[in-house]
Amino acid sequence: MAEHQGLLPSERPLRLLDEMGTPVDGSGLVMPDHRRLLEAYTSLVIGRRVNDQAGALVRQGRLAVYPSSHGQEACQTGAALALAEGDWLFPTYRDTAAVIARGVDPVEVLTLLKGDWHAGYDPYAHKVAPQATPLATQLLHAVGVAHAARLRGEDTVIMALCGDGATSEGDFHEALNFAAVFKAPVVFFVQNNEYAISVPLARQTAAPSLAHKGIGYGVPGERVDGNDAAAVLAVLERAVESARSDGGPRLVEAHTYRMQAHTNADDDTRYRDSGEVDPWTERDPLTRMEKYLKRKRVLTKAKQTEIAEAAEAVAAHMREGVARDTDPEPAELFTHVFADPTPQLNEQAAFLADELSREGN
Amino acid sequence: MAEHQGLLPSERPLRLLDEMGTPVDGSGLVMPDHRRLLEAYTSLVIGRRVNDQAGALVRQGRLAVYPSSHGQEACQTGAALALAEGDWLFPTYRDTAAVIARGVDPVEVLTLLKGDWHAGYDPYAHKVAPQATPLATQLLHAVGVAHAARLRGEDTVIMALCGDGATSEGDFHEALNFAAVFKAPVVFFVQNNEYAISVPLARQTAAPSLAHKGIGYGVPGERVDGNDAAAVLAVLERAVESARSDGGPRLVEAHTYRMQAHTNADDDTRYRDSGEVDPWTERDPLTRMEKYLKRKRVLTKAKQTEIAEAAEAVAAHMREGVARDTDPEPAELFTHVFADPTPQLNEQAAFLADELSREGN
Amino acid sequence: MATEKLSMAQALNRALRDSLSEDPSVYVFGEDVGPLGGVFRITDGLTAEFGEDRCFDTPLAESGIVGMAVGMAMNGMRPVVEMQFDAFAYPAFEQIASHVAKTRNRTRGRVGLPIVIRVPFAGGIGGVEHHCDSSEAYYAHTPGLKVVTPATPEDAYHLLRESIASPDPVVFMEPKKLYWAKEEVDFDRPVPAMGKAVVRREGTDATLIAYGPSVPTALEAAEAAAQEGRSLQVVDVRSPVPFDDETVCAAVRSTGRAVVIAEASGYASVASEIVARVTERCFHSLAAPVRRVTGFDIPFPPPKLERFQLPGVDRILDAVDDLQWEDQ
Amino acid sequence: MATEKLSMAQALNRALRDSLSEDPSVYVFGEDVGPLGGVFRITDGLTAEFGEDRCFDTPLAESGIVGMAVGMAMNGMRPVVEMQFDAFAYPAFEQIASHVAKTRNRTRGRVGLPIVIRVPFAGGIGGVEHHCDSSEAYYAHTPGLKVVTPATPEDAYHLLRESIASPDPVVFMEPKKLYWAKEEVDFDRPVPAMGKAVVRREGTDATLIAYGPSVPTALEAAEAAAQEGRSLQVVDVRSPVPFDDETVCAAVRSTGRAVVIAEASGYASVASEIVARVTERCFHSLAAPVRRVTGFDIPFPPPKLERFQLPGVDRILDAVDDLQWEDQ
Ligand SMILES: Cc1ncc(C[n+]2csc(CCOP(=O)(O)OP(=O)(O)O)c2C)c(N)n1
Ligand SMILES: Cc1ncc(C[n+]2csc(CCOP(=O)(O)OP(=O)(O)O)c2C)c(N)n1
Ligand SMILES: [Mg+2]
Ligand SMILES: [Mg+2]
């Protein structure tokens, strides 16, 4: 059995920038360089634009549902940027911005939200697993992908995302334990946005922090200010690199806040008031980073325009993609159930085809 | 969220007696009084006798299976004695000795092992839940019983037992979390006997100890030498009383060892050698306590004979109970499925009755 | 106030309220059932009215919810738990199959578990993956569980009250696409008990057998058939367990032809069971084999394709046409 | 060494060994499958022969085992996992129903999961509660899973090899009471593929349809019937999914009478499905309704009563007697 040493998180979430964008003592955490921060900032702006555009498309009735990460973009960005090319990202339904930051075509991501099909992108193309809906289940898949890679001698690291609520599920426990026992290089990254739909964190756990769950598995736990994009990136990069070097998992909890309702279908006025939400506006991850980069003269006016245009291009691409007719064929209902369809499915496919052809008459 | 303070276990398992039965510094743990220790010793001896008798009955082919707690009697005894009358015990298949120490008739316990029926005793009579087979599932039931009691304003405490292996199940996690969030007075008592069938602890967890899992739920964790009956009793009594007074759960890990194979159906020579098992004989909980009590002149020759006779009486009762014909009636297959049987079950019961009556001809 | 026009969601809410106020041992809990009132608002207002003890949010863990319900039921309570969606009850499967269903029998009748597990289920609302499973067969196949599914607000009210009062565990499956349809509900006149099927429409040519979400579709089909001069009888099963052989078989014998309708994938399903048992019992009254109109044996489709999976009026009428009328 | 006399346990062990040695992407894991060789010794010697990487023990968590298998399969491996007993697969139910079964379809065919989930199942060995469930209906009802159950050592060997080689997930259900019966196994002559039923005994008067643990019982019943001058045909289904309608229906049509035999509780079961589909397809060839001999709708009984639950020869012969021979 290991020692306690290094398994417990810091007393408070680590930070590199305060809410005014002023650098603070990071307790040993190193500020990423300017090039990297600019990259992160670009990704933040695009992430925000993706969130806003998706929200607008929902309001226009063009998407059925969208769980927004508005306010959590520092986590989204950090999760994607901390990975190397061969690494894997395991996102949830809320992590669309991270999926896009990782390189997946936003229009492919929208497949699910348009109701065209389930997972809309090729998970192998960018090593991004399908966005997970059944909570915490994907964390075990991440362990399996990591273990398979390790068995083949590859140095792949897996970034596995989940929310605060999902930490209550049995699969969270089993995933951390399996990863620790098998020394599977998975970074479990919990975005603690204080709510699981309507349920606040205090009803979810009585632990000092979610990062304190690590020691129970022998997994080092860390806490970071989830609205400080510099700190999130630095913490996740450190976690990824240490997982890569010693093969062991890491648990990182980012403290952030869900600024909007759970999804458009939710009514958050039933369980929280604006007095609680408003102060978080001042902790916005974009403005904080922007202030810092402007002060450092890394973010010029020209650069800012360029980034805004890039974000606008993504939004336009989303609008155009949603408008495009991508209706799936009913015949496809039967083609992916098995590699090799059963006689029963062939019969049922023929039945439907016949029904449709008769309707056609 | 609470502070770390008091949530982490001690560096080493707490002890009151060393392996020679000599008192050691208990780090604040108070030695139970002599009356109590004698009670515990009596229970230890009976527990051992129960284990040995059941083992013999298995060898004679009179019981189908018996998972023995031989060597773990200090835990069995402590778990039962630490409870007040209105409290509940939630045992597993291995905790027959604890169930009997709690007052359940051994012959009723044997119902399961004889193959007569499933749970053989009335759970309400002594507030002992059915012995659980699906691992860790019973921990949640314990939380429910505790929560119901709390809602009614009762000060019931629940002692919920499980093994080291069972801590890996999702239900262990959910139970500790629910208990902590609802402040349910449950003492989760893990008998870490180093094996889950053939799987050693090191393949079960990479945590510093199983008691370190507590902090991840905000539940205080404690470690105790599971072969020191005095320490186990003292730790469990303290845990029960603190759970009773503040309503919050406690996690106690006893470090012990499974002296025999998992059950008679198991062959432990396949995964461990006697070089590992033998040293544990010297740590036997009975001899340790016996030495101490003799040295203190609490355990006289006469008393020892009396206890041995009491144990022998239990064993004789077990033998007699097993010999007694208690074959269940086939009709009973249908009577307990629902309070109010469905027409389908009535039909099926009639079918079987008819079949049997024709066989009778 | 004997009758009131209510949606099924409102009727269920009313049933919970009435049970909570009449029986202090009733407790309602689950994910988001407190201040939010549940994602479908079935528990709307209950925490406010009955307090945080009687209707409360749990941590996000379904096995935990059901496992805790088992313990509370062991200790004198009547827990009514909500699974947020059909597929999110699966983490609780071990607790349901190994404990909820078996405890009375395991303990030789000493420990009964009066638990209601509410499961919003099935499709028809354009839900994304994992939100539209028809999971009733898993429960119906498990001995020791009663499985109930209402098709009308009135049934929803009365059957939920009865389920909560039942000494046995009930998996109460709520067809989510019917949550919002309104109907006059009579609170005082009890409906037939759980275990009784009901003939929702008389007819003489063939019998449609349906439950839950498929009942309104069956009625629509019967209406359409009537316009074409064919008289279809519609039977609402109401509780797959206990099944009402008597009513269903009498209906089938009266027409000699039957179609079973269910949204779930057909293979090894409740619909298979109904076909099998009706055939076993009514073989010589049947002019044609009993037909099934069920979901295909595929994972529930994405929203844009779900209409092809759901039993629709045309598909039902095609099945009726298939009942070998030329034999007559 | 083309043939060898082996028990089903040994045949399964051999299949795992041959798959491990031929395909480096095959991994075997689960509870106690390493040094112990599994509680039924199906994985005996594999860790010693192939090393700790290829056959290994996991922590005690079934959802973890199946979930990790999903990830490994996503990343190029062919995991073969063992669930220690039928009822202990239930904690993995969400992983099985929501991921193992659905991933290929969710991802539009991009991510296939070549996973084998081995489940020792059913009764007949005097096991205590939770160790004897017949859980095949849960899997067979779930679209996206293949469900295979061998009845002979030879089938066990070949079907397990085929399941491991399959690009699709297979729930491989091993009738534990047949683990020890020995038979000559031919390793070189492949048996019919998964998805093909096999006529195990020719007969002209009625057809017994069985799978897994019930096949030997059906054969015994046919033998006993023969002595009474009745010729019973026995069909071994072998894979409830995919089901071989062709062979089964041809058999039933050839005799005009059928009894379906299965240990599982009958309600909404694989047996219900077989009755339903045979009736749908062979209605006009049937001289009597298809009968079922299944377990009662009760939790699996304690050892002393299990013989009343298991389909036995007499009960099967009674059902055959019931096939309305007076009609002839
Ligand atoms: C197993 C399971 N149970 C319930 C749900 C329904 N559900 C979807 S999101 C959600 C809340 C999740 O909260 P959290 O993990 O904190 O993530 P967040 O939505 O805040 O990002 C719930 C209960 C689900 N998807 N899966
Ligand atoms: C859910 C579940 N999975 C698997 C099993 C099979 N099984 C019975 S006991 C056991 C080992 C348990 O080990 P541990 O929890 O350490 O308890 P011990 O037997 O050592 O007392 C296993 C795997 C089970 N009973 N339940
Ligand atoms: Mg959250
Ligand atoms: Mg153990």
Side-chain angles (χ1 to χ4, degrees):
Chain A
M1 288 203 188
E3 288 297 303
H4 305 193
Q5 240 58 6
L7 296 178
L8 286 172
S10 51
E11 276 281 317
R12 278 160 208 290
L14 295 177
R15 270 192 168 188
L16 287 170
L17 296 176
D18 73 9
E19 287 158 25
M20 306 311 299
T22 315
V24 296
D25 173 42
S27 318
L29 200 63
V30 182
M31 180 70 86
D33 65 25
H34 287 164
R35 189 195 50 78
R36 198 77 177 130
L37 289 178
L38 203 55
E39 221 176 320
Y41 178 74
T42 307
S43 178
L44 282 175
V45 174
I46 294 174
R48 175 64 50 87
R49 192 68 192 86
V50 164
N51 279 326
D52 292 350
Q53 180 61 72
L57 289 169
V58 165
R59 283 188 299 279
Q60 293 157 24
R62 318 207 62 156
L63 295 182
V65 67
Y66 184 68
S68 177
S69 65
H70 186 112
Q72 303 177 213
E73 290 91 348
C75 299
Q76 300 287 307
T77 295
L81 293 192
L83 296 176
E85 205 183 309
D87 295 340
W88 275 83
L89 179 72
F90 273 74
T92 77
Y93 51 90
R94 194 172 303 288
D95 303 311
T96 298
V99 171
I100 293 172
R102 177 88 180 139
V104 176
D105 183 337
V107 175
E108 292 183 4
V109 181
L110 296 179
T111 309
L112 175 71
L113 308 166
K114 280 179 76 180
D116 286 356
W117 199 262
H118 313 294
Y121 48 88
D122 180 354
Y124 294 115
H126 294 87
K127 305 213 163 169
V128 179
Q131 288 179 275
T133 294
L135 296 163
T137 55
Q138 79 280 8
L139 304 179
L140 281 161
H141 309 162
V143 176
V145 167
H147 190 58
R150 198 194 65 85
L151 286 167
R152 280 198 300 262
E154 298 160 3
D155 71 346
T156 318
V157 172
I158 322 297
M159 176 77 64
L161 309 186
C162 76
D164 46 308
T167 66
S168 295
E169 290 280 5
D171 275 7
F172 174 86
H173 176 72
E174 301 190 12
L176 267 89
N177 193 40
F178 272 59
V181 167
F182 292 116
K183 284 193 132 307
V186 179
V187 175
F188 296 98
F189 181 37
V190 180
Q191 287 170 75
N192 170 4
N193 62 8
E194 291 205 358
Y195 280 92
I197 308 187
S198 71
V199 180
L201 190 64
R203 297 224 119 224
Q204 204 64 249
T205 183
S209 83
L210 296 171
H212 280 82
K213 292 185 183 290
I215 190 170
Y217 310 99
V219 174
E222 274 198 292
R223 303 168 73 181
V224 64
D225 179 338
N227 285 20
D228 176 351
V232 171
L233 183 58
V235 164
L236 290 178
E237 281 188 328
R238 190 164 75 178
V240 166
E241 286 327 308
S242 46
R244 201 185 309 284
S245 63
D246 71 9
R250 296 294 185 278
L251 171 63
V252 176
E253 174 193 6
H255 187 205
T256 178
Y257 192 79
R258 202 193 69 211
M259 297 299 291
Q260 302 183 348
H262 173 69
T263 67
N264 45 298
D266 181 33
D267 171 8
D268 62 343
T269 62
R270 290 179 158 249
Y271 53 83
R272 66 179 183 186
D273 54 34
S274 59
E276 183 188 312
V277 182
D278 294 345
W280 282 91
T281 313
E282 283 143 43
R283 298 173 203 151
D284 191 89
L286 271 76
T287 40
R288 198 187 293 199
M289 180 66 101
E290 187 177 312
K291 279 184 185 152
Y292 176 74
L293 290 178
K294 278 189 173 158
R295 218 174 295 136
K296 289 280 173 189
R297 297 180 201 286
V298 176
L299 185 63
T300 59
K301 266 260 158 65
K303 188 72 200 168
Q304 204 169 4
T305 313
E306 186 189 309
I307 293 171
E309 280 167 8
E312 210 35 66
V314 172
H317 180 59
M318 285 170 73
R319 290 193 299 273
E320 179 269 328
V322 163
R324 215 184 305 149
D325 171 27
T326 50
D327 282 2
E329 285 298 322
E332 211 182 335
L333 288 172
F334 302 95
T335 35
H336 310 302
V337 183
F338 294 110
D340 181 19
T342 62
Q344 285 70 40
L345 285 174
N346 287 334
E347 216 173 73
Q348 294 170 20
F351 172 92
L352 179 61
D354 172 61
E355 198 178 75
L356 293 172
S357 77
R358 281 185 291 118
E359 265 178 30
N361 295 347
Chain B
M1 286 203 191
E3 290 297 303
H4 305 193
Q5 241 61 3
L7 296 177
L8 286 172
S10 51
E11 276 280 316
R12 276 159 211 289
L14 296 178
R15 270 193 170 186
L16 286 171
L17 296 176
D18 72 9
E19 287 158 26
M20 307 311 301
T22 314
V24 296
D25 173 43
S27 316
L29 200 62
V30 181
M31 179 71 83
D33 64 26
H34 286 165
R35 189 196 50 78
R36 199 77 176 127
L37 289 179
L38 203 53
E39 219 177 322
Y41 177 74
T42 307
S43 178
L44 282 175
V45 173
I46 295 175
R48 174 66 50 86
R49 192 68 191 89
V50 164
N51 279 327
D52 291 351
Q53 181 60 72
L57 290 168
V58 165
R59 281 188 301 278
Q60 293 156 24
R62 317 206 66 153
L63 295 183
V65 69
Y66 184 69
S68 177
S69 65
H70 186 112
Q72 301 178 215
E73 290 90 349
C75 300
Q76 299 288 306
T77 294
L81 293 192
L83 296 177
E85 203 182 313
D87 295 341
W88 275 83
L89 179 72
F90 273 74
T92 76
Y93 52 89
R94 194 173 302 290
D95 302 312
T96 298
V99 171
I100 292 171
R102 177 89 180 137
V104 176
D105 182 338
V107 175
E108 290 182 5
V109 181
L110 295 180
T111 309
L112 175 71
L113 308 167
K114 279 180 78 180
D116 286 356
W117 199 262
H118 313 294
Y121 49 88
D122 179 355
Y124 295 114
H126 294 87
K127 305 214 165 168
V128 179
Q131 290 180 273
T133 294
L135 296 163
T137 54
Q138 78 280 9
L139 305 178
L140 282 160
H141 310 163
V143 176
V145 168
H147 190 57
R150 199 192 65 83
L151 286 166
R152 279 198 300 263
E154 299 159 2
D155 72 345
T156 317
V157 172
I158 323 296
M159 174 77 63
L161 309 186
C162 76
D164 47 304
T167 66
S168 295
E169 289 281 6
D171 275 6
F172 173 87
H173 176 72
E174 301 188 13
L176 268 91
N177 193 39
F178 273 59
V181 166
F182 292 116
K183 282 192 136 302
V186 180
V187 176
F188 295 98
F189 181 37
V190 180
Q191 288 170 74
N192 170 6
N193 62 7
E194 293 206 359
Y195 280 92
I197 308 186
S198 71
V199 180
L201 190 65
R203 297 226 119 221
Q204 204 64 249
T205 182
S209 83
L210 296 171
H212 279 83
K213 292 185 182 292
I215 191 171
Y217 310 99
V219 174
E222 272 198 294
R223 304 165 74 181
V224 63
D225 179 337
N227 286 20
D228 176 351
V232 171
L233 183 59
V235 163
L236 289 179
E237 282 187 330
R238 189 163 77 179
V240 165
E241 287 327 308
S242 48
R244 200 184 311 281
S245 64
D246 71 9
R250 296 296 184 279
L251 171 63
V252 176
E253 174 194 6
H255 187 204
T256 179
Y257 193 78
R258 202 192 71 213
M259 296 299 292
Q260 302 183 347
H262 173 68
T263 67
N264 47 299
D266 182 32
D267 172 8
D268 61 343
T269 63
R270 288 179 160 251
Y271 53 83
R272 66 180 182 184
D273 54 36
S274 58
E276 184 189 312
V277 183
D278 294 344
W280 282 91
T281 313
E282 282 142 45
R283 298 174 204 150
D284 190 89
L286 270 77
T287 40
R288 199 187 292 197
M289 179 66 100
E290 187 177 312
K291 279 183 186 153
Y292 177 73
L293 291 178
K294 278 189 175 161
R295 216 174 296 137
K296 289 278 176 195
R297 297 182 201 282
V298 176
L299 184 62
T300 59
K301 266 259 158 68
K303 188 72 198 165
Q304 203 168 3
T305 312
E306 186 190 310
I307 293 172
E309 280 167 7
E312 207 38 61
V314 173
H317 180 59
M318 286 170 73
R319 288 192 301 271
E320 180 270 327
V322 162
R324 215 183 305 148
D325 173 27
T326 51
D327 282 3
E329 284 300 321
E332 211 182 333
L333 288 172
F334 302 95
T335 34
H336 310 303
V337 183
F338 294 109
D340 182 21
T342 62
Q344 285 69 41
L345 285 174
N346 288 335
E347 215 173 74
Q348 293 171 19
F351 172 91
L352 179 61
D354 173 61
E355 200 178 73
L356 292 172
S357 76
R358 282 186 291 117
E359 265 177 29
N361 294 344
Chain C
M1 91 117 220
T3 88
E4 216 171 305
K5 195 163 181 142
L6 293 180
S7 68
M8 187 183 287
Q10 291 167 324
L12 292 167
N13 179 264
R14 183 72 68 97
L16 292 172
R17 264 161 67 197
D18 290 352
S19 292
L20 278 162
S21 68
E22 284 176 27
D23 182 346
S25 69
V26 173
Y27 287 80
V28 173
F29 53 97
E31 293 157 12
D32 302 291
V33 300
L36 180 63
V39 296
F40 291 108
R41 303 292 182 268
I42 308 302
T43 59
D44 191 23
L46 300 182
T47 298
E49 187 171 343
F50 298 95
E52 283 222 333
D53 275 358
R54 301 290 303 286
C55 175
F56 58 89
D57 288 331
T58 64
L60 212 172
E62 294 77 9
S63 188
I65 293 166
V66 175
M68 185 161 97
V70 169
M72 288 177 68
M74 282 181 73
N75 201 359
M77 305 305 201
R78 291 185 176 269
V80 182
V81 301
E82 175 170 308
M83 301 281 100
Q84 201 158 78
F85 284 87
D86 29 67
F88 306 146
Y90 300 158
F93 195 70
E94 181 186 35
Q95 287 289 351
I96 296 174
S98 293
H99 292 293
V100 176
K102 289 183 179 149
T103 296
R104 177 181 291 278
N105 186 67
R106 290 177 71 208
T107 60
R108 244 168 166 160
R110 293 179 182 118
V111 181
L113 297 181
I115 298 173
V116 177
I117 303 176
R118 295 182 37 244
V119 184
F121 84 118
I125 63 160
V128 294
E129 53 169 0
H130 308 294
H131 288 76
C132 307
D133 279 17
S134 283
S135 45
E136 66 273 24
Y138 299 133
Y139 309 115
H141 178 60
T142 306
L145 300 175
K146 298 198 170 170
V147 182
V148 175
T149 173
T152 72
E154 190 161 273
D155 250 17
Y157 175 83
H158 291 288
L159 287 174
L160 182 53
R161 299 279 332 250
E162 191 189 350
S163 298
I164 295 172
S166 161
D168 291 310
V170 177
V171 182
F172 193 88
M173 310 212 52
E174 303 171 2
K176 48 178 111 69
K177 76 166 188 200
L178 303 183
Y179 271 149
W180 303 284
K182 290 207 177 193
E183 185 197 75
E184 213 60 53
V185 176
D186 187 332
F187 296 103
D188 299 330
R189 183 184 45 111
V191 299
M194 161 191 333
K196 295 283 161 222
V198 160
V199 176
R200 294 263 173 231
R201 181 185 173 112
E202 295 295 346
T204 52
D205 292 339
T207 304
L208 304 183
I209 307 169
Y211 57 84
S214 298
V215 173
T217 322
L219 288 167
E220 255 182 82
E223 188 57 42
Q227 257 135 54
E228 291 167 17
R230 199 169 261 166
S231 164
L232 301 184
Q233 185 188 36
V234 177
V235 181
D236 177 355
V237 167
R238 298 172 75 242
S239 54
V241 182
F243 189 80
D244 185 353
D245 283 310
E246 216 172 307
T247 305
V248 172
C249 288
V252 173
R253 282 194 202 99
S254 78
T255 64
R257 286 178 168 79
V259 175
V260 180
I261 305 155
E263 258 189 60
S265 294
Y267 199 89
S269 65
V270 171
S272 329
E273 177 62 35
I274 300 176
V275 173
R277 59 195 307 122
V278 164
T279 307
E280 283 163 353
R281 282 149 210 261
C282 312
F283 189 69
H284 294 292
S285 312
L286 287 173
V290 179
R291 289 258 161 241
R292 286 185 270 185
V293 177
T294 67
F296 300 118
D297 295 316
I298 58 174
F300 198 83
K304 285 210 186 142
L305 295 176
E306 77 169 328
R307 70 181 183 283
F308 301 108
Q309 173 75 347
L310 303 176
V313 169
D314 289 345
R315 204 174 279 167
I316 294 169
L317 294 178
D318 284 354
V320 171
D321 282 346
D322 232 34
L323 294 172
Q324 306 174 358
W325 301 92
E326 57 290 347
D327 286 15
Q328 286 198 307
Chain D
M1 90 115 216
T3 88
E4 216 172 305
K5 193 158 184 149
L6 293 180
S7 68
M8 187 184 286
Q10 290 167 323
L12 292 166
N13 178 265
R14 184 73 69 95
L16 292 172
R17 264 160 69 197
D18 290 352
S19 292
L20 279 162
S21 69
E22 283 174 27
D23 183 347
S25 69
V26 173
Y27 286 80
V28 173
F29 52 98
E31 293 158 11
D32 303 292
V33 300
L36 180 62
V39 295
F40 291 109
R41 306 291 184 270
I42 309 302
T43 58
D44 191 25
L46 301 182
T47 299
E49 187 170 343
F50 298 96
E52 284 221 331
D53 276 358
R54 300 290 302 288
C55 175
F56 58 89
D57 288 331
T58 63
L60 213 171
E62 294 77 10
S63 189
I65 293 166
V66 175
M68 184 160 99
V70 169
M72 288 177 68
M74 284 181 72
N75 201 0
M77 304 306 198
R78 290 183 177 268
V80 182
V81 300
E82 175 171 308
M83 301 280 100
Q84 201 157 80
F85 282 88
D86 28 67
F88 306 147
Y90 300 158
F93 196 70
E94 181 186 32
Q95 286 288 351
I96 296 174
S98 293
H99 291 294
V100 175
K102 289 183 178 148
T103 296
R104 177 181 292 278
N105 186 66
R106 291 177 70 207
T107 59
R108 244 169 166 158
R110 290 178 183 120
V111 181
L113 297 180
I115 296 174
V116 177
I117 302 177
R118 294 182 36 245
V119 185
F121 85 118
I125 62 161
V128 295
E129 53 169 1
H130 308 295
H131 287 77
C132 306
D133 280 16
S134 283
S135 46
E136 67 272 24
Y138 300 133
Y139 309 115
H141 179 61
T142 305
L145 300 175
K146 297 197 170 170
V147 182
V148 175
T149 174
T152 71
E154 189 160 274
D155 250 18
Y157 176 83
H158 290 288
L159 287 174
L160 183 52
R161 299 280 331 250
E162 191 189 350
S163 297
I164 296 172
S166 161
D168 290 311
V170 177
V171 182
F172 192 87
M173 310 212 51
E174 304 171 1
K176 47 177 114 68
K177 76 167 188 198
L178 302 183
Y179 270 149
W180 303 283
K182 290 208 176 190
E183 184 196 77
E184 213 59 54
V185 176
D186 187 331
F187 297 105
D188 299 332
R189 184 185 43 113
V191 300
M194 160 193 330
K196 294 284 163 223
V198 160
V199 177
R200 294 262 173 230
R201 181 186 173 114
E202 294 296 347
T204 51
D205 292 338
T207 304
L208 304 182
I209 306 169
Y211 56 84
S214 298
V215 173
T217 322
L219 288 167
E220 255 182 83
E223 188 56 42
Q227 258 137 50
E228 291 167 18
R230 201 168 260 166
S231 164
L232 302 184
Q233 184 189 36
V234 178
V235 180
D236 177 356
V237 167
R238 299 172 77 241
S239 54
V241 183
F243 189 81
D244 184 353
D245 284 309
E246 216 172 306
T247 304
V248 173
C249 289
V252 173
R253 281 195 203 99
S254 77
T255 64
R257 288 179 166 80
V259 176
V260 179
I261 305 154
E263 260 190 59
S265 294
Y267 199 89
S269 65
V270 171
S272 331
E273 176 63 33
I274 299 176
V275 173
R277 59 197 306 123
V278 164
T279 308
E280 282 162 354
R281 282 149 211 258
C282 312
F283 188 69
H284 293 293
S285 312
L286 287 173
V290 178
R291 292 257 161 241
R292 285 186 269 184
V293 177
T294 67
F296 299 118
D297 295 317
I298 59 174
F300 197 83
K304 286 211 186 139
L305 295 175
E306 76 169 330
R307 69 181 182 284
F308 302 108
Q309 173 75 347
L310 303 177
V313 168
D314 288 344
R315 204 174 280 167
I316 294 169
L317 294 179
D318 283 354
V320 170
D321 281 346
D322 232 34
L323 293 172
Q324 304 173 0
W325 301 93
E326 58 289 347
D327 287 15
Q328 282 200 311

